[in-house]
Amino acid sequence: MSRNPLRRPIDWAAAAISLLLLTAAVVVVPVSALFGVSLHENLTQRAAYAAQTTHRVDAVLTTAPTMSVPVSEVYTQDSISSTAVVEWRTDQGTRTATMQVPANAAPGDTVPLWIDQAGNRVPPPPTPGSVTVSAVFAALLLLLVLELGCFALISATQRLARRIGMRAWEREWAFLQRGGTWSQR
C-alpha cells in the first residue's frame, strides 16, 4: 500500500477489483475464440449428419399457388410470396404438404425439397458457409456480452468506491466541523 494519506482502503479494493475485471476482459477474447472453434466443429458434425440422413427430392405442385401476402402490402415482385400443396413420393408412400413456392408456378411444376429417411419434409442441411457464419456470429456475440459485462462491472465498482469514499470524507468533515481532530488516515 502507498503511504499516501489520501488513499483509502476502498480505493485499493476498487483498483484491485478493476484490475481483476480488466484481466478477465482480456482472457475472454481467447475463450470466445475457443468457443467459436468448438461450436464450428459441433455444427460441422451436425451438418454432416444431416447431409447423410436427408436427401433432396422434387415435389409436384398439386394446387395453384395462393398469395400469402396481400397485394396491398407488396412493394416489389420479389416480395410476392405464394403457397401451394405439393406432393412427393417416398419408399413409404406419397406425402403432401403446403409449402412456399414461386408466385408464377402452376400445378404440375416441380419444386425441390429435402426429406429425411422416413420421408418427412426437413430443412436442407447447412452449407459450410452458413456453419462458419453461425459459429463466428456466436463467438462474437459471446465476446461482446462478456466484454460489456466486464466493463459494466468495472464502472459499477468505481462508482460504488467513489460513493463509499465520498461518504467517508463527509463523515470525517462533519467530525472536524464538530470540533474533532483530523486522523490523517
Side-chain angles (χ1 to χ4, degrees):
M1 279 196 173
S2 171
R3 297 184 189 270
N4 184 346
L6 298 178
R7 191 112 171 146
R8 295 180 178 265
I10 190 65
D11 298 329
W12 284 105
I17 292 170
S18 296
L19 184 60
L20 182 67
L21 288 168
L22 279 173
T23 303
V26 171
V27 168
V28 300
V29 173
V31 167
S32 295
L34 288 174
F35 170 76
V37 168
S38 174
L39 181 63
H40 185 270
E41 289 172 2
N42 184 289
L43 292 176
T44 300
Q45 288 174 356
R46 287 182 182 194
Y49 178 76
Q52 291 172 354
T53 59
T54 62
H55 63 278
R56 184 177 163 212
V57 296
D58 287 328
V60 178
L61 272 72
T62 59
T63 63
T66 58
M67 297 267 273
S68 56
V69 176
V71 175
S72 61
E73 295 180 17
V74 176
Y75 300 107
T76 67
Q77 278 301 97
D78 298 335
S79 301
I80 296 176
S81 177
S82 299
T83 57
V85 176
V86 297
E87 177 179 280
W88 67 94
R89 301 198 190 288
T90 68
D91 295 339
Q92 293 83 12
T94 302
R95 302 280 179 103
T96 60
T98 301
M99 67 179 275
Q100 197 168 10
V101 296
N104 59 355
D109 289 353
T110 59
V111 291
L113 64 88
W114 287 83
I115 60 171
D116 61 13
Q117 293 169 339
N120 299 318
R121 187 172 159 224
V122 295
T127 64
S130 68
V131 166
T132 301
V133 167
S134 296
V136 168
F137 179 76
L140 288 175
L141 184 62
L142 178 66
L143 177 65
L144 178 68
V145 167
L146 293 176
E147 291 291 336
L148 288 175
C150 285
F151 290 117
L153 287 173
I154 289 170
S155 176
T157 299
Q158 293 297 320
R159 213 171 24 251
L160 181 63
R162 273 194 302 276
R163 197 176 286 163
I164 291 171
M166 291 306 292
R167 286 187 183 151
W169 279 113
E170 288 172 7
R171 282 192 306 273
E172 184 90 15
W173 187 250
F175 176 71
L176 289 173
Q177 287 180 330
R178 290 190 304 266
T181 59
W182 186 30
S183 67
Q184 296 189 6
R185 328 180 276 149

